[in-house]
Amino acid sequence: MSIKIIQGDITKLDCDAIVNAANSSLLGGGGVDGAIHAAAGRALLEECRALGGCETGDAKITGAYNLPCRYVIHTVGPVWHGGSHGEKELLTSCYRKSLELAKANNCKSVAFPLISSGVYAYPKKEAFQVAVDTIRDFIAEVEMQVYIVVFDKAALAVAEKLFSDLIETS
Ligand code: AR6
């Protein structure tokens, strides 16, 4: 069991759970959130509506509807405000809480986007470091295959620099 970095569209992945970089309303938005809701269909929005939102740094799980995975774990990353407003702790909490929910639901394979690194402006290098450190800590104790899915070229370039050993090409 390990961490792998792959490039692609997270909505296409057939793993136990994919993680959504949501906002605190859980009612959809742009970026990966928009892509997940569009591919899952309206029933996902209906289930999310019943959850009553989600705090920054926390995570909630739903079904996946028309997506190929089994579950969607919605987490709310911090908005980057320069780095001295608890951003790192909140982002760490997003990964940890998402992984705990995955474990509690018997997921053996989980895919994350690079949370907060788009609209929420978390620098990609720092966002990667938090992701990899937190996932590594978690899988030291739990059997799970975890993917970090990079979408844009800038994120792939950062991954190639920092974590070339984790990149898997198809
Ligand atoms: N598959 C994988 N990664 C993707 C995909 C995809 N289909 N689409 C985008 N990304 P963002 P955030 C990457 O902005 O920064 C939403 O409006 C993207 O390139 O989706 O946490 C929510 O509703 C970037 O590297 O999420 C919130 O309001 C990463 O996913 C807000 O954006 C995260 O970018 C959350 O902002």
Side-chain angles (χ1 to χ4, degrees):
M1 294 294 137
S2 63
I3 311 181
K4 287 179 182 156
I5 298 174
I6 56 177
Q7 190 181 18
D9 177 354
I10 202 167
T11 65
K12 309 283 189 228
L13 293 187
D14 172 16
C15 50
D16 290 333
I18 65 169
V19 178
N20 181 18
N23 60 62
S24 57
S25 76
L26 297 186
L27 298 179
V32 71
D33 193 8
I36 287 173
H37 275 276
R42 222 176 151 78
L44 177 62
L45 184 61
E46 293 311 315
E47 188 177 354
C48 283
R49 212 183 288 287
L51 295 176
C54 182
E55 301 274 318
T56 302
D58 205 354
K60 294 193 176 177
I61 192 164
T62 65
Y65 303 94
N66 297 333
L67 290 162
C69 56
R70 287 167 55 211
Y71 298 106
V72 179
I73 296 171
H74 307 261
T75 190
V76 183
V79 177
W80 180 259
H81 288 296
S84 57
H85 294 79
E87 291 94 333
K88 185 176 177 192
E89 291 70 23
L90 288 165
L91 189 58
T92 300
S93 171
C94 287
Y95 283 96
R96 180 150 274 281
K97 292 257 172 84
S98 298
L99 289 163
E100 281 165 1
L101 265 181
K103 181 184 169 212
N105 287 275
N106 291 316
C107 296
K108 301 287 178 216
S109 56
V110 179
F112 284 89
L114 198 56
I115 298 162
S116 283
S117 75
V119 174
Y120 284 178
Y122 208 106
K124 289 188 197 298
K125 180 167 173 265
E126 283 77 4
F128 256 117
Q129 200 66 61
V130 170
V132 170
D133 288 349
T134 312
I135 294 165
R136 264 197 183 128
D137 273 3
F138 191 86
I139 61 174
E141 317 271 333
V142 178
E143 283 248 321
M144 212 182 260
Q145 178 64 58
V146 182
Y147 300 94
I148 301 172
V149 184
V150 297
F151 192 62
D152 53 291
K153 282 207 177 99
L156 184 65
V158 173
E160 278 165 348
K161 245 187 179 164
L162 284 182
F163 302 111
S164 60
D165 52 321
L166 301 181
I167 296 177
E168 189 175 77
T169 48
S170 50

